[in-house]
Each structure stands twice: as structure tokens, then as C-alpha cells.
Amino acid sequence: MYPEIFNDKNLQERLINEIIDYTHDVEPMNPGDKIYYPGERSAATRNKNIKDGIPVDKSIWKKIMELSA
């Protein structure tokens, strides 16, 4: 979406929400799966990492700590 095309912020938000709702309402190919809009999972992962920290494999972290000693 180009903000300069839609000067009405409410219209922009409604259109974006309609697109997201439409995307989520599409029936997935595999039962139980979910359809995501582009970037949705990346945004969710980023938010989780900001909240909980970035997950690091314990064996890799141990090697990093050994290198820093």
C-alpha cells in the first residue's frame, strides 16, 4: 500500500484489515494449518524474541563462552 495514494488513514486501515482477514479466511491446503500474510510469521518471531530473548542452542552458547574466556 502506498500511503500517498490513500490520504484517508481510516480507509487505509480498513483495507489492510480486510486483506488480512481475507488472507486468514482462506482454507489451507493441509487441515489444521494456517494461512499467513507475507511477513506475519517473521513479525511474530521478532516480537517473541524481543519479549523472551533470542533462542540459542546450549551447545553453541557453550562454545561461544569458551571462545570468550
Side-chain angles (χ1 to χ4, degrees), residues 23-37:
T23 301
H24 287 161
D25 286 342
V26 172
E27 185 176 336
M29 291 176 61
N30 299 314
D33 282 353
K34 179 182 174 188
I35 303 297
Y36 298 92
Y37 60 83

Side-chain angles (χ1 to χ4, degrees), residues 41-57:
R41 288 185 289 182
S42 296
T45 299
R46 178 177 168 79
N47 289 334
K48 184 180 183 319
N49 289 345
I50 288 170
K51 178 183 172 219
D52 301 330
I54 298 172
V56 178
D57 183 275

Side-chain angles (χ1 to χ4, degrees), residues 10-21:
N10 290 327
L11 175 60
Q12 277 182 321
E13 192 167 327
R14 281 197 320 266
L15 288 172
I16 290 169
N17 287 329
E18 282 182 30
I19 292 167
I20 290 170
D21 290 343

